[in-house]
Amino acid sequence: MYSNLPNLVIGFHGCDKNTYHNVLYKHHRLMQSKNPYDWLGNGIYFWENSLERAKDWAEYLCKRYNTKHSDQKPKEPAVIGAVISLGYCLNLTDYGSNDILQMGYEILKFEFSKLNQPLPVNKNVKGNQDLLLRDLDCAVIERIHQYNEECNKRSYDSVRGIFLEGDPVYKNSGIMEKTHVQLCIRNPNCIKGYFKPLVPDTNWSII
């Protein structure tokens, strides 16, 4: 009953300058990510209200690309802003979503056991303590979407989650430096428009 989130939110998508120009000036759409390790399943990803985190991600992506493809033209980081309506949302910040996730996990576990195959696993990458490759979480969330389709239930337009990531902000802190709210948009009609993030006018207060 309360899964339809009525408010508009601001999201930021970290990318390269080429994608930035194609979306803002040529009116292309952002493409869905469909990696098996995506944290919230398949969809278009945004950092909710976090321009700086999106910048950080864009810089990381471009640096990784430029290192691997040193013979190619280097990519430059950029950030696209978006106005988003989350619509019918699988909101993982809501306590009630635990039952939905558990159901998806149990279905997946049963199906993999019938096939005599191991479940996907969330994994670390070298030099990082966070589970950056979320194969299990992605598979569970995608199974929930599949279950809704099989039962002719309403499809989720979006998925929203909070993630504790990075090192403590200070010694013995329970607050992590890269903690963020992530949005995965499945229904492209949730995105009402894209914009170029502005630099604040220092002559005025920020509202």
Side-chain angles (χ1 to χ4, degrees):
M1 179 172 168
Y2 297 103
S3 294
N4 204 66
L5 302 183
N7 298 330
L8 293 174
V9 298
I10 299 296
F12 295 100
H13 180 86
C15 58
D16 63 272
K17 277 282 176 68
N18 188 50
T19 301
Y20 173 90
H21 283 288
N22 284 340
V23 171
L24 288 185
Y25 303 117
K26 296 182 180 178
H27 308 297
H28 292 186
R29 289 181 179 269
L30 287 172
M31 302 298 293
Q32 280 200 0
S33 178
K34 294 186 177 180
N35 299 308
Y37 50 79
D38 286 336
W39 290 24
L40 295 174
N42 299 341
I44 306 167
Y45 276 77
F46 296 91
W47 312 94
E48 183 176 309
N49 290 329
S50 186
L51 174 60
E52 293 306 318
R53 189 67 184 92
K55 282 181 181 177
D56 183 65
W57 177 249
E59 288 166 3
Y60 165 77
L61 285 179
C62 291
K63 183 179 179 181
R64 188 176 66 173
Y65 175 89
N66 294 338
T67 302
K68 287 184 177 180
H69 305 277
S70 54
D71 56 332
Q72 304 284 331
K73 182 180 177 181
K75 288 191 174 183
E76 297 179 59
V79 174
I80 297 169
V83 178
I84 302 166
S85 170
L86 296 178
Y88 187 56
C89 180
L90 176 54
N91 185 8
L92 306 186
T93 70
D94 175 17
Y95 181 79
S97 67
N98 292 342
D99 290 340
I100 300 170
L101 288 171
Q102 188 65 41
M103 177 203 70
Y105 173 75
E106 292 299 333
I107 293 173
L108 200 70
K109 186 170 73 169
F110 174 77
E111 291 175 341
F112 271 74
S113 69
K114 285 292 183 183
L115 295 170
N116 238 358
Q117 294 180 0
L119 277 169
V121 178
N122 291 337
K123 298 183 290 290
N124 249 327
V125 296
K126 187 178 179 181
N128 194 295
Q129 62 186 359
D130 299 305
L131 295 173
L132 296 183
L133 304 177
R134 303 288 182 100
D135 294 60
L136 176 59
D137 293 343
C138 183
V140 168
I141 291 170
E142 284 302 308
R143 190 61 186 88
I144 291 167
H145 296 320
Q146 184 184 339
Y147 173 82
N148 284 346
E149 289 177 12
E150 292 167 351
C151 298
N152 292 317
K153 291 191 169 190
R154 183 176 177 183
S155 296
Y156 287 110
D157 297 309
S158 62
V159 186
R160 181 176 185 262
I162 293 179
F163 296 98
L164 304 181
E165 186 188 355
D167 297 322
V169 231
Y170 48 83
K171 187 177 178 181
N172 297 325
S173 173
I175 303 167
M176 303 302 160
E177 62 182 3
K178 292 185 178 180
T179 295
H180 61 274
V181 178
Q182 200 166 75
L183 307 174
C184 175
I185 305 303
R186 301 183 71 244
N187 179 353
N189 293 328
C190 289
I191 302 169
K192 304 306 177 185
Y194 295 113
F195 64 90
K196 173 185 176 180
L198 295 176
V199 176
D201 186 330
T202 53
N203 295 315
W204 292 85
S205 61
I206 298 174
I207 57 171

